[in-house]
Amino acid sequence: MAYRYDVLLKNGIVVDYATDREGVADVAIKDGKIAEIAPDIAPTLAQEVIELSGYHVVPGIIDLHTHISAWIGGKFGHKMLAKAGVTTTLDMAGPVDSVLELARDYGVGLNVATIEYVRPGYTVKDTNPSTAELQDLLDRSLKKGAIGLKLLGGHYPLTPEATARAIEVANQNKAYIAFHCGTLNKGSNIEGFHEAIELAQGKALHIAHINSYTRGVIRPWMQEAEEAIAALIANPTIRCESYLSPLNGTSAKCSQGVPESLQTRKCLEAGGFAPTEQGLEEAILSGWAQINMEAGGEVVLATGSEAVAYWRQKGTDTTVSFNVNPPEPRLRLATAKRPDGRFVVDAISTDGGGIPRNVIVEMGLSLVKLKALTLKEFVQKTSYNPARILGLMNKGHFRPGADADITVLDLTRQQAFMAIVNGKVIMVNGYVCGQGSTVITTAAGAAYVQEKGLQSLVVDLAQSAFYGT
């Protein structure tokens, strides 16, 4: 028998920002695409029928800031994202080869984009790389499948001049450029945030995790949040996201008796600990510092002597989290709107992946229950906006012919019940069953991605919302 559809999702509550839809309907999928949405589609027309009464069916969640490389995040990040209902993600650091290798070896069906870090002593010679060196790094990164570069200012800062050069180089090439604010002149705080906007000089830039600069380090945290909101309204070329978890994530690696990351040192001082390797050990034992430890096929947060032993076993080269994000700025930034009604902060992200804080659904739906966001607005911030920023015009919505990337939500439990990518179920009720990865890349990197044994999805960022279209 020849079926009209491959899969039919029956009786779910379909919510789509792009088409202004919210109500019970059936969703038919054919060849990995949305074929039809209607009040009642006959089950006999589909090869497979999935009953979803009581569940909400939304465009696949796109997390615009995660970490899924061996350097940070690790091999379980793909599984953790799928369990959280994510269908597409942007790895926000690289290294790009590591991201591709883990996507190939541990992929569970996700769509994955990545950007390459600009790190002194690793991808550039020092803290003041020239335009030519930055152009060379970008060219090599694009050819390897990255879509752009990431400035790790809060951890491994460059000079302000080199930071501005990197933004300029990316914009000239219509490549992605993201910035964890901070230079050798300003820290990873509200002043570093303002400096980032100044250095961008009206060019396109993704400022990462806005909430990280509103922790009350310089001024009261709500004053910092309002400053950030006003600055974003005044600078519409800045793309951004914020996350809802109280936890951050940073490197626990130490050299010569101190943490390599400036951010780790700042977090230790915030907890009353010395910004040294010994201070970090004391913070782990006390519970202020939480080591990201692999256990049971995932990454979990650990403290105490067991966490110290794991950290030492790894030569201190692990990720550590601190409870440093106050709640009020997180909620304000997630819901703030511009005078024209658009959101100030484009997306809700997690900075998660292999870092255990993949709470877009869990905490995002809390905002829905509080009526701080409507369900359509939740979809806008977690799928539609991120898709447009990445140039994924066939994702983030349920128009006919769109990619069948779908997240099924259980609003009562505030969890993802199912995740579907390109018409294939990759997770159901916490069980991850997908395989492989599709790498979002540019035309320059498609061949390299395929040589790595991965599927490629080519985007043109010049035609994306990142560059204003």
Side-chain angles (χ1 to χ4, degrees), residues 147-158:
I147 63 171
L149 299 176
K150 170 70 177 292
L151 296 160
L152 299 173
H155 301 277
Y156 312 103
L158 305 177

Side-chain angles (χ1 to χ4, degrees), residues 35 70 219 325 387:
R219 290 176 281 280
N325 295 310

Side-chain angles (χ1 to χ4, degrees), residues 303-356:
T303 58
S305 57
E306 180 186 20
V308 169
Y310 181 85
W311 173 59
R312 291 295 184 188
Q313 177 192 350
K314 295 290 186 179
T316 73
D317 193 7
T318 66
T319 302
V320 61
S321 295
F322 299 89
N323 193 339
V324 292
N325 295 310
E328 293 89 343
R330 286 184 277 137
L331 300 178
R332 174 71 173 124
L333 290 164
T335 57
K337 290 186 177 180
R338 301 173 186 269
D340 63 5
R342 292 180 299 122
F343 283 105
V344 173
V345 177
D346 299 290
I348 295 173
S349 66
T350 64
D351 200 1
I355 301 173

Side-chain angles (χ1 to χ4, degrees), residues 357-375:
R357 52 179 175 184
N358 300 301
V359 294
I360 284 178
V361 171
E362 177 186 342
M363 294 189 178
L365 290 182
S366 291
L367 297 181
V368 174
K369 287 190 174 183
L370 287 168
K371 300 190 184 301
L373 294 176
T374 67
L375 264 174

Side-chain angles (χ1 to χ4, degrees), residues 123-412:
T123 58
V124 291
K125 289 183 292 186
D126 55 32
T127 59
N128 194 35
S130 67
T131 296
E133 187 177 3
L134 290 164
Q135 181 67 59
D136 178 65
L137 173 60
L138 178 60
D139 289 342
R140 288 186 284 112
S141 301
L142 294 175
K143 288 177 182 177
K144 286 187 173 184
I147 63 171
L149 299 176
K150 170 70 177 292
L151 296 160
L152 299 173
H155 301 277
Y156 312 103
L158 305 177
T159 65
E161 295 78 11
T163 300
R165 287 195 289 269
I167 297 169
E168 173 70 24
V169 165
N171 273 255
Q172 287 179 346
N173 290 268
K174 289 296 185 286
Y176 211 88
I177 180 72
F179 188 14
H180 179 143
C181 297
T183 67
L184 291 177
N185 188 41
K186 298 287 186 180
S188 179
N189 51 44
I190 191 65
E191 291 183 350
F193 166 81
H194 288 306
E195 181 194 40
I197 292 176
E198 292 173 4
L199 293 174
Q201 296 182 330
K203 300 179 182 69
L205 175 66
H206 177 158
I207 295 184
H209 46 48
I210 297 299
N211 56 288
S212 293
Y213 318 115
T214 61
R215 292 172 176 161
V217 174
I218 306 297
R219 290 176 281 280
W221 58 53
M222 285 308 292
Q223 182 179 337
E224 293 180 343
E226 294 304 328
E227 282 185 35
I229 289 167
L232 290 169
I233 290 173
N235 293 273
T237 61
I238 302 295
R239 303 274 69 81
C240 59
E241 28 77 27
S242 63
Y243 61 86
L244 294 169
S245 172
L247 296 168
N248 77 339
T250 181
S251 172
K253 187 177 181 182
C254 297
S255 299
Q256 299 180 335
V258 297
E260 289 185 353
S261 169
L262 294 178
Q263 188 64 29
T264 305
R265 297 178 217 168
K266 294 293 184 183
C267 288
L268 286 170
E269 291 176 330
F273 296 89
T276 63
E277 184 172 337
Q278 181 60 37
L280 180 52
E281 179 169 332
E282 292 171 2
I284 297 167
L285 289 170
S286 75
W288 172 244
Q290 302 178 65
I291 292 296
N292 292 199
M293 183 172 73
E294 293 182 355
E298 294 189 41
V299 177
V300 300
L301 298 172
T303 58
S305 57
E306 180 186 20
V308 169
Y310 181 85
W311 173 59
R312 291 295 184 188
Q313 177 192 350
K314 295 290 186 179
T316 73
D317 193 7
T318 66
T319 302
V320 61
S321 295
F322 299 89
N323 193 339
V324 292
N325 295 310
E328 293 89 343
R330 286 184 277 137
L331 300 178
R332 174 71 173 124
L333 290 164
T335 57
K337 290 186 177 180
R338 301 173 186 269
D340 63 5
R342 292 180 299 122
F343 283 105
V344 173
V345 177
D346 299 290
I348 295 173
S349 66
T350 64
D351 200 1
I355 301 173
R357 52 179 175 184
N358 300 301
V359 294
I360 284 178
V361 171
E362 177 186 342
M363 294 189 178
L365 290 182
S366 291
L367 297 181
V368 174
K369 287 190 174 183
L370 287 168
K371 300 190 184 301
L373 294 176
T374 67
L375 264 174
K376 288 178 187 174
E377 289 175 333
F378 173 83
V379 170
Q380 180 186 7
K381 294 203 69 164
T382 63
S383 189
Y384 180 79
N385 285 356
R388 294 182 70 250
I389 289 170
L390 290 175
L392 299 169
M393 301 311 179
N394 221 33
K395 299 185 186 296
H397 60 86
F398 282 157
R399 296 188 181 99
D403 294 340
D405 289 5
I406 298 167
T407 302
V408 179
L409 302 173
D410 182 336
L411 261 63
T412 301

